[in-house]
Amino acid sequence: MNHSRPMAHPGRMNHSDRLNRSHPRQRSRHRPPPLPEPRGPLSGAVTAALLRQRSDPGNFPSPARCSPYGDDLHLALYVLYELHYQGFEGVPDDLEWDSGLLALRSGIEDRFLGALREDVPVGGPDDTARRALDELQIEPVRAEAADGSGGVTHFLHDEGDLDQLREYVALRSPYHLKEADPHAWVLPRLRGRAKAAMVAVEFDEFGAGRADEIHAQLYADLMADLGLDPAYGHYVDAAPGEALATVNLMSLLGLHRALRAALVGHFAAVEVTSSPASRRLAEALRRVGAGPAAVRFYAEHVEADAVHEQVVRHDVVGGLLADEPWLEADVVFGIRATGHLEDRLTARLLGAWREGGTALRTGGPGR
């Protein structure tokens, strides 16, 4: 099937050109991406500092003035975190540890984390890791429930078209093209049973020793099959703040030892929900006639993550809490913060698609 010019949904504007359009800064997938376009004063100050190749703390806006879930704050945070991953074209590697940039990042993290703690309260007598994980298995039964809620993968499975599936894959690429990398930060912070189990699951995520089986590579293959550009970071400019926040959460939790249990909670939430969601997406891609590489990424996760769920529940979470039982509230926080941000992204996607529009950013001032 030719995915280069997918058919638009009847009665809806064709947004596929925005995904197909050749980017003026197109590059090899194996080179650092260019800096994204700023979305407001905070992200503008960050990218300007990186272009100058030095920070100027006196010229950084206060993160307290930004929406904790908005485009400007989350692009700024994403860019600062990316210095720890692939970096950016033309930006010196030693800026990773620039003291002015690290101080700014700390202020942005405080703004984001403070909002999460306010919106995701934890600490009640029923807030156990077991209960929080069990709650994740109660899913909406269809794309739109009686209260108007529903899941993105249910929508895509039941009625999504090829344009919407391509858009979903593009907007998820900042997350999946670094799949498993942020979770690796927790390994030196675990011990015993929890560490051994976490390494076992990560080993699978990283292809069990085979470069072509690394899950991030399988996602790149999925993108190419759908006619999308699989270059790392290519769709960051198109991704709204709601999508970037889901990526930033992984880095926030991974880079702070004090949040190690919350990262384990995030990892557990992903593994528990992945298998049924992946099954729906694989079936949706088959329905619209996608190629084998597109289907394979999600089909691979149906079986693998069903096994991973049990390992994570009993050995990663169970092992951590056997060693450090006082961290249970942090595990619950990681689980529920993940769900909170995924709900925000779901609302953005389904709100746009049900109105016949696109969830891709159209530019303009940060929100």
PDB file of all heavy atoms in Angstrom, residues 326-351:
ATOM      1  N   TRP A 326       8.928   2.489  52.695  1.00  0.00           N
ATOM      2  CA  TRP A 326       8.495   3.880  52.885  1.00  0.00           C
ATOM      3  C   TRP A 326       8.329   4.642  51.572  1.00  0.00           C
ATOM      4  O   TRP A 326       7.822   5.765  51.566  1.00  0.00           O
ATOM      5  CB  TRP A 326       9.513   4.607  53.773  1.00  0.00           C
ATOM      6  CG  TRP A 326      10.929   4.506  53.272  1.00  0.00           C
ATOM      7  CD1 TRP A 326      11.558   5.338  52.393  1.00  0.00           C
ATOM      8  CD2 TRP A 326      11.877   3.503  53.621  1.00  0.00           C
ATOM      9  NE1 TRP A 326      12.843   4.929  52.159  1.00  0.00           N
ATOM     10  CE2 TRP A 326      13.078   3.795  52.904  1.00  0.00           C
ATOM     11  CE3 TRP A 326      11.858   2.387  54.462  1.00  0.00           C
ATOM     12  CZ2 TRP A 326      14.234   3.016  53.006  1.00  0.00           C
ATOM     13  CZ3 TRP A 326      13.014   1.612  54.562  1.00  0.00           C
ATOM     14  CH2 TRP A 326      14.168   1.922  53.855  1.00  0.00           C
ATOM     15  N   LEU A 327       8.705   4.027  50.449  1.00  0.00           N
ATOM     16  CA  LEU A 327       8.586   4.686  49.149  1.00  0.00           C
ATOM     17  C   LEU A 327       7.276   4.358  48.429  1.00  0.00           C
ATOM     18  O   LEU A 327       7.100   4.749  47.269  1.00  0.00           O
ATOM     19  CB  LEU A 327       9.772   4.298  48.253  1.00  0.00           C
ATOM     20  CG  LEU A 327      11.152   4.804  48.689  1.00  0.00           C
ATOM     21  CD1 LEU A 327      12.232   4.316  47.715  1.00  0.00           C
ATOM     22  CD2 LEU A 327      11.174   6.329  48.778  1.00  0.00           C
ATOM     23  N   GLU A 328       6.354   3.671  49.071  1.00  0.00           N
ATOM     24  CA  GLU A 328       5.137   3.242  48.373  1.00  0.00           C
ATOM     25  C   GLU A 328       4.332   4.429  47.846  1.00  0.00           C
ATOM     26  O   GLU A 328       3.806   4.386  46.728  1.00  0.00           O
ATOM     27  CB  GLU A 328       4.259   2.382  49.275  1.00  0.00           C
ATOM     28  CG  GLU A 328       3.028   1.860  48.553  1.00  0.00           C
ATOM     29  CD  GLU A 328       2.484   0.575  49.146  1.00  0.00           C
ATOM     30  OE1 GLU A 328       2.745   0.321  50.344  1.00  0.00           O
ATOM     31  OE2 GLU A 328       1.817  -0.184  48.431  1.00  0.00           O
ATOM     32  N   ALA A 329       4.232   5.512  48.611  1.00  0.00           N
ATOM     33  CA  ALA A 329       3.475   6.680  48.139  1.00  0.00           C
ATOM     34  C   ALA A 329       4.095   7.258  46.876  1.00  0.00           C
ATOM     35  O   ALA A 329       3.378   7.754  45.994  1.00  0.00           O
ATOM     36  CB  ALA A 329       3.406   7.741  49.237  1.00  0.00           C
ATOM     37  N   ASP A 330       5.422   7.176  46.753  1.00  0.00           N
ATOM     38  CA  ASP A 330       6.077   7.678  45.546  1.00  0.00           C
ATOM     39  C   ASP A 330       5.764   6.794  44.341  1.00  0.00           C
ATOM     40  O   ASP A 330       5.607   7.292  43.221  1.00  0.00           O
ATOM     41  CB  ASP A 330       7.591   7.749  45.750  1.00  0.00           C
ATOM     42  CG  ASP A 330       8.008   8.885  46.669  1.00  0.00           C
ATOM     43  OD1 ASP A 330       7.150   9.734  46.980  1.00  0.00           O
ATOM     44  OD2 ASP A 330       9.180   8.919  47.076  1.00  0.00           O
ATOM     45  N   VAL A 331       5.693   5.485  44.549  1.00  0.00           N
ATOM     46  CA  VAL A 331       5.300   4.589  43.460  1.00  0.00           C
ATOM     47  C   VAL A 331       3.901   4.952  42.970  1.00  0.00           C
ATOM     48  O   VAL A 331       3.651   5.066  41.761  1.00  0.00           O
ATOM     49  CB  VAL A 331       5.346   3.109  43.907  1.00  0.00           C
ATOM     50  CG1 VAL A 331       4.795   2.200  42.803  1.00  0.00           C
ATOM     51  CG2 VAL A 331       6.766   2.701  44.261  1.00  0.00           C
ATOM     52  N   VAL A 332       2.988   5.154  43.916  1.00  0.00           N
ATOM     53  CA  VAL A 332       1.615   5.517  43.560  1.00  0.00           C
ATOM     54  C   VAL A 332       1.595   6.854  42.822  1.00  0.00           C
ATOM     55  O   VAL A 332       0.874   7.021  41.828  1.00  0.00           O
ATOM     56  CB  VAL A 332       0.728   5.570  44.818  1.00  0.00           C
ATOM     57  CG1 VAL A 332      -0.679   6.054  44.468  1.00  0.00           C
ATOM     58  CG2 VAL A 332       0.662   4.196  45.479  1.00  0.00           C
ATOM     59  N   PHE A 333       2.386   7.806  43.295  1.00  0.00           N
ATOM     60  CA  PHE A 333       2.454   9.103  42.615  1.00  0.00           C
ATOM     61  C   PHE A 333       2.913   8.931  41.167  1.00  0.00           C
ATOM     62  O   PHE A 333       2.346   9.535  40.246  1.00  0.00           O
ATOM     63  CB  PHE A 333       3.399  10.048  43.352  1.00  0.00           C
ATOM     64  CG  PHE A 333       3.647  11.332  42.622  1.00  0.00           C
ATOM     65  CD1 PHE A 333       2.660  12.306  42.532  1.00  0.00           C
ATOM     66  CD2 PHE A 333       4.868  11.566  41.998  1.00  0.00           C
ATOM     67  CE1 PHE A 333       2.878  13.484  41.839  1.00  0.00           C
ATOM     68  CE2 PHE A 333       5.103  12.740  41.300  1.00  0.00           C
ATOM     69  CZ  PHE A 333       4.102  13.709  41.220  1.00  0.00           C
ATOM     70  N   GLY A 334       3.925   8.123  40.934  1.00  0.00           N
ATOM     71  CA  GLY A 334       4.404   7.898  39.567  1.00  0.00           C
ATOM     72  C   GLY A 334       3.339   7.287  38.675  1.00  0.00           C
ATOM     73  O   GLY A 334       3.187   7.669  37.511  1.00  0.00           O
ATOM     74  N   ILE A 335       2.584   6.351  39.221  1.00  0.00           N
ATOM     75  CA  ILE A 335       1.498   5.722  38.461  1.00  0.00           C
ATOM     76  C   ILE A 335       0.428   6.746  38.100  1.00  0.00           C
ATOM     77  O   ILE A 335       0.008   6.858  36.941  1.00  0.00           O
ATOM     78  CB  ILE A 335       0.876   4.569  39.272  1.00  0.00           C
ATOM     79  CG1 ILE A 335       1.890   3.429  39.460  1.00  0.00           C
ATOM     80  CG2 ILE A 335      -0.392   4.042  38.595  1.00  0.00           C
ATOM     81  CD1 ILE A 335       1.466   2.388  40.489  1.00  0.00           C
ATOM     82  N   ARG A 336       0.004   7.518  39.078  1.00  0.00           N
ATOM     83  CA  ARG A 336      -1.116   8.429  38.857  1.00  0.00           C
ATOM     84  C   ARG A 336      -0.709   9.679  38.085  1.00  0.00           C
ATOM     85  O   ARG A 336      -1.518  10.234  37.324  1.00  0.00           O
ATOM     86  CB  ARG A 336      -1.759   8.781  40.200  1.00  0.00           C
ATOM     87  CG  ARG A 336      -2.436   7.549  40.800  1.00  0.00           C
ATOM     88  CD  ARG A 336      -3.237   7.858  42.031  1.00  0.00           C
ATOM     89  NE  ARG A 336      -3.911   6.645  42.499  1.00  0.00           N
ATOM     90  CZ  ARG A 336      -4.327   6.446  43.734  1.00  0.00           C
ATOM     91  NH1 ARG A 336      -4.153   7.404  44.637  1.00  0.00           N
ATOM     92  NH2 ARG A 336      -4.936   5.326  44.079  1.00  0.00           N
ATOM     93  N   ALA A 337       0.525  10.144  38.255  1.00  0.00           N
ATOM     94  CA  ALA A 337       0.995  11.273  37.454  1.00  0.00           C
ATOM     95  C   ALA A 337       1.053  10.891  35.984  1.00  0.00           C
ATOM     96  O   ALA A 337       0.721  11.693  35.097  1.00  0.00           O
ATOM     97  CB  ALA A 337       2.371  11.729  37.946  1.00  0.00           C
ATOM     98  N   THR A 338       1.462   9.658  35.709  1.00  0.00           N
ATOM     99  CA  THR A 338       1.461   9.162  34.329  1.00  0.00           C
ATOM    100  C   THR A 338       0.053   9.189  33.757  1.00  0.00           C
ATOM    101  O   THR A 338      -0.174   9.675  32.646  1.00  0.00           O
ATOM    102  CB  THR A 338       2.023   7.729  34.292  1.00  0.00           C
ATOM    103  OG1 THR A 338       3.351   7.733  34.814  1.00  0.00           O
ATOM    104  CG2 THR A 338       2.042   7.189  32.863  1.00  0.00           C
ATOM    105  N   GLY A 339      -0.911   8.687  34.513  1.00  0.00           N
ATOM    106  CA  GLY A 339      -2.296   8.693  34.049  1.00  0.00           C
ATOM    107  C   GLY A 339      -2.844  10.090  33.860  1.00  0.00           C
ATOM    108  O   GLY A 339      -3.582  10.365  32.900  1.00  0.00           O
ATOM    109  N   HIS A 340      -2.482  11.004  34.752  1.00  0.00           N
ATOM    110  CA  HIS A 340      -2.954  12.388  34.653  1.00  0.00           C
ATOM    111  C   HIS A 340      -2.490  13.026  33.350  1.00  0.00           C
ATOM    112  O   HIS A 340      -3.278  13.676  32.645  1.00  0.00           O
ATOM    113  CB  HIS A 340      -2.418  13.166  35.856  1.00  0.00           C
ATOM    114  CG  HIS A 340      -2.740  14.619  35.847  1.00  0.00           C
ATOM    115  ND1 HIS A 340      -4.030  15.102  35.927  1.00  0.00           N
ATOM    116  CD2 HIS A 340      -1.932  15.715  35.759  1.00  0.00           C
ATOM    117  CE1 HIS A 340      -4.011  16.431  35.897  1.00  0.00           C
ATOM    118  NE2 HIS A 340      -2.756  16.822  35.795  1.00  0.00           N
ATOM    119  N   LEU A 341      -1.218  12.854  33.014  1.00  0.00           N
ATOM    120  CA  LEU A 341      -0.692  13.460  31.786  1.00  0.00           C
ATOM    121  C   LEU A 341      -1.230  12.767  30.541  1.00  0.00           C
ATOM    122  O   LEU A 341      -1.477  13.417  29.513  1.00  0.00           O
ATOM    123  CB  LEU A 341       0.836  13.446  31.807  1.00  0.00           C
ATOM    124  CG  LEU A 341       1.472  14.295  32.906  1.00  0.00           C
ATOM    125  CD1 LEU A 341       2.990  14.200  32.833  1.00  0.00           C
ATOM    126  CD2 LEU A 341       1.035  15.760  32.802  1.00  0.00           C
ATOM    127  N   GLU A 342      -1.417  11.454  30.619  1.00  0.00           N
ATOM    128  CA  GLU A 342      -2.001  10.743  29.482  1.00  0.00           C
ATOM    129  C   GLU A 342      -3.442  11.188  29.258  1.00  0.00           C
ATOM    130  O   GLU A 342      -3.896  11.316  28.109  1.00  0.00           O
ATOM    131  CB  GLU A 342      -1.945   9.227  29.709  1.00  0.00           C
ATOM    132  CG  GLU A 342      -0.542   8.644  29.645  1.00  0.00           C
ATOM    133  CD  GLU A 342       0.066   8.723  28.252  1.00  0.00           C
ATOM    134  OE1 GLU A 342      -0.687   8.742  27.261  1.00  0.00           O
ATOM    135  OE2 GLU A 342       1.304   8.768  28.158  1.00  0.00           O
ATOM    136  N   ASP A 343      -4.175  11.462  30.324  1.00  0.00           N
ATOM    137  CA  ASP A 343      -5.551  11.955  30.183  1.00  0.00           C
ATOM    138  C   ASP A 343      -5.568  13.324  29.499  1.00  0.00           C
ATOM    139  O   ASP A 343      -6.455  13.608  28.688  1.00  0.00           O
ATOM    140  CB  ASP A 343      -6.219  12.049  31.548  1.00  0.00           C
ATOM    141  CG  ASP A 343      -6.577  10.690  32.132  1.00  0.00           C
ATOM    142  OD1 ASP A 343      -6.549   9.695  31.389  1.00  0.00           O
ATOM    143  OD2 ASP A 343      -6.882  10.645  33.349  1.00  0.00           O
ATOM    144  N   ARG A 344      -4.615  14.170  29.834  1.00  0.00           N
ATOM    145  CA  ARG A 344      -4.547  15.486  29.202  1.00  0.00           C
ATOM    146  C   ARG A 344      -4.249  15.356  27.706  1.00  0.00           C
ATOM    147  O   ARG A 344      -4.830  16.053  26.875  1.00  0.00           O
ATOM    148  CB  ARG A 344      -3.482  16.348  29.876  1.00  0.00           C
ATOM    149  CG  ARG A 344      -3.847  16.800  31.286  1.00  0.00           C
ATOM    150  CD  ARG A 344      -2.740  17.680  31.891  1.00  0.00           C
ATOM    151  NE  ARG A 344      -2.502  18.842  31.039  1.00  0.00           N
ATOM    152  CZ  ARG A 344      -3.197  19.970  31.085  1.00  0.00           C
ATOM    153  NH1 ARG A 344      -4.178  20.107  31.958  1.00  0.00           N
ATOM    154  NH2 ARG A 344      -2.899  20.965  30.266  1.00  0.00           N
ATOM    155  N   LEU A 345      -3.348  14.436  27.359  1.00  0.00           N
ATOM    156  CA  LEU A 345      -3.042  14.220  25.945  1.00  0.00           C
ATOM    157  C   LEU A 345      -4.249  13.626  25.225  1.00  0.00           C
ATOM    158  O   LEU A 345      -4.559  14.011  24.084  1.00  0.00           O
ATOM    159  CB  LEU A 345      -1.830  13.310  25.806  1.00  0.00           C
ATOM    160  CG  LEU A 345      -1.413  12.959  24.373  1.00  0.00           C
ATOM    161  CD1 LEU A 345      -1.131  14.209  23.542  1.00  0.00           C
ATOM    162  CD2 LEU A 345      -0.196  12.028  24.380  1.00  0.00           C
ATOM    163  N   THR A 346      -4.935  12.689  25.877  1.00  0.00           N
ATOM    164  CA  THR A 346      -6.140  12.101  25.292  1.00  0.00           C
ATOM    165  C   THR A 346      -7.177  13.171  24.971  1.00  0.00           C
ATOM    166  O   THR A 346      -7.787  13.177  23.891  1.00  0.00           O
ATOM    167  CB  THR A 346      -6.741  11.057  26.253  1.00  0.00           C
ATOM    168  OG1 THR A 346      -5.854   9.943  26.341  1.00  0.00           O
ATOM    169  CG2 THR A 346      -8.102  10.575  25.776  1.00  0.00           C
ATOM    170  N   ALA A 347      -7.391  14.081  25.910  1.00  0.00           N
ATOM    171  CA  ALA A 347      -8.371  15.151  25.687  1.00  0.00           C
ATOM    172  C   ALA A 347      -7.970  16.011  24.492  1.00  0.00           C
ATOM    173  O   ALA A 347      -8.828  16.421  23.691  1.00  0.00           O
ATOM    174  CB  ALA A 347      -8.496  16.009  26.943  1.00  0.00           C
ATOM    175  N   ARG A 348      -6.690  16.286  24.342  1.00  0.00           N
ATOM    176  CA  ARG A 348      -6.217  17.089  23.207  1.00  0.00           C
ATOM    177  C   ARG A 348      -6.468  16.355  21.885  1.00  0.00           C
ATOM    178  O   ARG A 348      -6.989  16.934  20.920  1.00  0.00           O
ATOM    179  CB  ARG A 348      -4.723  17.372  23.385  1.00  0.00           C
ATOM    180  CG  ARG A 348      -4.014  17.974  22.185  1.00  0.00           C
ATOM    181  CD  ARG A 348      -4.279  19.460  22.044  1.00  0.00           C
ATOM    182  NE  ARG A 348      -3.615  20.022  20.879  1.00  0.00           N
ATOM    183  CZ  ARG A 348      -2.936  21.167  20.894  1.00  0.00           C
ATOM    184  NH1 ARG A 348      -2.829  21.866  22.006  1.00  0.00           N
ATOM    185  NH2 ARG A 348      -2.388  21.628  19.785  1.00  0.00           N
ATOM    186  N   LEU A 349      -6.098  15.090  21.829  1.00  0.00           N
ATOM    187  CA  LEU A 349      -6.241  14.324  20.595  1.00  0.00           C
ATOM    188  C   LEU A 349      -7.699  14.119  20.214  1.00  0.00           C
ATOM    189  O   LEU A 349      -8.110  14.431  19.088  1.00  0.00           O
ATOM    190  CB  LEU A 349      -5.538  12.976  20.742  1.00  0.00           C
ATOM    191  CG  LEU A 349      -4.009  12.995  20.887  1.00  0.00           C
ATOM    192  CD1 LEU A 349      -3.491  11.605  21.233  1.00  0.00           C
ATOM    193  CD2 LEU A 349      -3.338  13.507  19.631  1.00  0.00           C
ATOM    194  N   LEU A 350      -8.492  13.597  21.150  1.00  0.00           N
ATOM    195  CA  LEU A 350      -9.881  13.295  20.818  1.00  0.00           C
ATOM    196  C   LEU A 350     -10.695  14.563  20.584  1.00  0.00           C
ATOM    197  O   LEU A 350     -11.601  14.581  19.738  1.00  0.00           O
ATOM    198  CB  LEU A 350     -10.516  12.456  21.926  1.00  0.00           C
ATOM    199  CG  LEU A 350      -9.918  11.050  22.116  1.00  0.00           C
ATOM    200  CD1 LEU A 350     -10.722  10.275  23.158  1.00  0.00           C
ATOM    201  CD2 LEU A 350      -9.876  10.288  20.806  1.00  0.00           C
ATOM    202  N   GLY A 351     -10.372  15.622  21.308  1.00  0.00           N
ATOM    203  CA  GLY A 351     -11.064  16.888  21.072  1.00  0.00           C
ATOM    204  C   GLY A 351     -10.870  17.386  19.654  1.00  0.00           C
ATOM    205  O   GLY A 351     -11.817  17.860  19.009  1.00  0.00           O
TER     206      GLY A 351
END
